[in-house]
Amino acid sequence: MTEEEKKKGPGAGKGAALTRQGSVRRTSLLDAAETVLVANGADASLRAIAGEAGVRVGHLQHYFPTRAELVKAVLERALDRSLERLAVTTGLRAVRDDPSALEGPAGAADADEVVAVVLAEQEDPQLVRLYVEVWALAARDAEIAAVVREFYRKYVAQVEAFVRYGRPDWPAELCRARAETFVALVEGAALLRSGIAGCRSAAMDEQLVRCAVQLLRD
C-alpha cells in the first residue's frame, strides 16, 4: 500500500476521488473479484480475491472494507455497463443521478434494438455465471441480499423510464408493471439460455423476443 493510500484511510475506493493509479488498482481488484465469484461462488472470501489480485487482504480492504461492499461494487459496475449499452442503443441518457429520468431525441428509442442488446448480454457465459453465484450468495447473506435488491430496483427503474418515454399514453402503474415483468422475463430466461438448464431452442428465443418487445411497446 502506498503512503498516499495510507493517508486516505480505509474505504478510500468508495466515494472518494481516486488518483489515476488508484483507479487502475480498483479496476484490477474488481476484475479479480468477478473471477473468484464465478469460480468459487459462496466461497469467494476476501482472502481468495486478494490472492487472485496478487495483493494482501489489507490492500483489498483499503478499497473495499467488507465483502458486501466489494460485491456491491462488482454489481454496480456490471449495471453501469448494461446501462451504457442501453444508452448507446436508445439514444437516451440519464438525467444527473436520477435513474427514472431520461432525456434524448424523440423517436430515438427502439424496443427491438433494446431487447437485442439486453439478450446479447446473456451470450456471455461468465457474466451469467457471475449473477447466478451472486444470487446464491444473496440467499445466505443479508448484506448481499440488500445489494441485489438495490441492483434490481435500479434496473427496473431504468426499464420503467424507457417504457414511459416510448409510451407516454400509458398510466404510471402500467409502465411499472411492464418494467417489472420485462425484468422478470429476461432474468429468468438467462438461466435457460445460458446452457445451465440445457433448455435453449431457436423457437424459445423467437417467442422470448416477441414477448419482451410487446412488454415495452404494445
Side-chain angles (χ1 to χ4, degrees), residues 36 43-57 60-61:
V36 176
D43 296 325
S45 65
L46 287 179
R47 186 173 300 278
I49 294 169
E52 175 68 24
V55 301
R56 295 182 178 181
V57 173
L60 176 61
Q61 290 180 308

Side-chain angles (χ1 to χ4, degrees), residues 98-115:
D98 184 357
S100 65
L102 298 177
E103 61 182 0
D110 183 277
D112 296 274
E113 293 183 18
V114 170
V115 170

Side-chain angles (χ1 to χ4, degrees), residues 17-18 26 32 52 70 108-109 146-147 168 175 197 201 208:
L18 292 175
R26 186 177 189 276
E52 175 68 24
L70 179 54
V147 170
C175 292
S201 69
L208 174 61

Side-chain angles (χ1 to χ4, degrees), residues 147-213:
V147 170
V148 171
R149 284 194 294 271
E150 177 65 9
F151 173 83
Y152 283 109
R153 184 193 69 77
K154 291 180 179 179
Y155 186 6
V156 170
Q158 285 286 338
V159 176
E160 180 185 0
F162 172 74
V163 173
R164 286 204 316 268
Y165 186 87
R167 292 303 303 262
D169 55 313
W170 283 359
E173 294 80 3
L174 177 58
C175 292
R176 179 71 178 184
R178 290 291 186 113
E180 291 173 337
T181 305
F182 177 88
V183 172
L185 175 67
V186 170
E187 293 298 286
L191 293 175
L192 295 177
R193 301 180 76 243
S194 67
I196 295 176
C199 300
R200 183 173 182 176
S201 69
M204 184 193 76
D205 281 355
E206 181 180 349
Q207 290 301 312
L208 174 61
V209 170
R210 181 180 64 81
C211 292
V213 170

Side-chain angles (χ1 to χ4, degrees), residues 109-124:
D110 183 277
D112 296 274
E113 293 183 18
V114 170
V115 170
V117 169
V118 171
L119 294 183
E121 292 187 355
Q122 298 177 5
E123 303 297 335
D124 182 350

Side-chain angles (χ1 to χ4, degrees), residues 105-142:
D110 183 277
D112 296 274
E113 293 183 18
V114 170
V115 170
V117 169
V118 171
L119 294 183
E121 292 187 355
Q122 298 177 5
E123 303 297 335
D124 182 350
Q126 179 158 327
L127 181 60
V128 174
R129 178 74 179 180
L130 171 64
Y131 285 120
V132 169
E133 296 300 341
V134 169
W135 293 333
L137 285 169
R140 295 184 291 274
D141 188 315

